[in-house]
Amino acid sequence: MNNLEVITTTSNKYETAFGFTEKKVFAAMDEYELEEKEKVKLWYDGFVFGKRRDIYNHWSVINLLDKREYRAYWANTSSNSLIGKLIREGSKDVKIIMEGLLKQKSFHTQLDEQIVFNQLDYNEYAIWSLLLASGYLRRRIIFWKTGKKHISLC
C-alpha cells in the first residue's frame, strides 16, 4: 500500500528541497566568481517553505551561473491563463486585494492547502492558496482562527 504524504509550502518537512538555500547559492557564486550577493537576493530569493525564508528559485540561479546575466528566467516557464481568469472573474474583494498586492501590501486570509481545481470557481479562498502554492505570493505568518488555518500573504 502506498502511504503518500502531502507536503505543502507551509510544511517543515523537506523545506530545503524545493530550491537552493542562501548558503548554497552564495557558495556557488563564490565558485563562479560572482560577487553581487545582494543583487542575487533581490532577484531570486522569494520562496518560503516551512520555517525557511531563504529559499532561492533554482531555475533562475542555475541560469544566472551559466549565463552570468540577471533576467526573469522563470517568466516563460508556465502559463498564467488560469490565474488571469480567476482574477478577471473574481469578486470585487479579489480585485481590491490584487490591487493592494501590486502596491506591496499584504493581507490575511483563510488558507486551504488541499485545494482542488473545481473549487476555484466557487471558493474565493482557493485563489490565494493557488497563488501561494505556485509561488506568486509569499507567506509572512501563519495563525489559527476559529479552528481554521489563516495566513498573512504578500
Side-chain angles (χ1 to χ4, degrees):
M1 176 162 61
N2 291 330
N3 294 311
L4 298 177
E5 181 179 357
V6 176
I7 304 296
T8 66
T9 59
T10 63
S11 302
N12 294 327
K13 194 172 187 178
Y14 308 118
E15 63 191 2
T16 61
F18 296 102
F20 295 143
T21 63
E22 187 168 272
K23 183 178 178 181
K24 289 180 182 177
V25 170
F26 287 0
M29 290 179 72
D30 290 342
E31 187 175 328
Y32 280 77
E33 298 177 350
L34 294 171
E35 297 178 1
E36 298 174 301
K37 292 183 174 144
E38 284 304 312
K39 189 172 182 179
V40 81
K41 188 174 185 69
L42 287 171
W43 271 83
Y44 306 124
D45 172 27
F47 294 111
V48 177
F49 289 98
K51 294 177 184 156
R52 291 300 297 255
R53 298 183 103 35
D54 67 340
I55 302 298
Y56 286 67
N57 179 298
H58 60 282
W59 175 254
S60 297
V61 171
I62 289 168
N63 277 284
L64 170 67
L65 295 173
D66 180 48
K67 296 171 180 52
R68 296 178 173 269
E69 182 181 343
Y70 290 90
R71 289 189 5 217
Y73 295 107
W74 65 89
N76 294 317
T77 59
S78 68
S79 169
N80 297 323
S81 59
L82 174 61
I83 293 167
K85 173 189 177 292
L86 293 171
I87 294 168
R88 275 191 315 277
E89 296 175 3
S91 70
K92 179 182 174 185
D93 291 338
V94 167
K95 291 173 177 65
I96 289 169
I97 292 170
M98 287 303 298
E99 286 178 18
L101 289 168
L102 292 171
K103 295 175 183 173
Q104 305 294 315
K105 294 181 181 178
S106 61
F107 72 102
H108 292 50
T109 188
Q110 184 177 324
L111 179 65
D112 180 3
E113 293 183 290
Q114 305 297 320
I115 59 169
V116 179
F117 281 109
N118 68 357
Q119 292 177 343
L120 292 171
D121 289 329
Y122 65 89
N123 179 350
E124 195 162 292
Y125 299 114
I127 186 174
W128 310 122
S129 299
L130 174 66
L131 291 172
L132 174 65
S134 57
Y136 287 96
L137 293 179
R138 187 173 184 175
R139 168 178 70 84
R140 289 206 171 186
I141 58 170
I142 297 173
F143 58 97
W144 291 87
K145 184 177 174 183
T146 60
K148 296 187 181 198
K149 193 183 248 186
H150 284 69
I151 193 164
S152 175
L153 298 168
C154 57

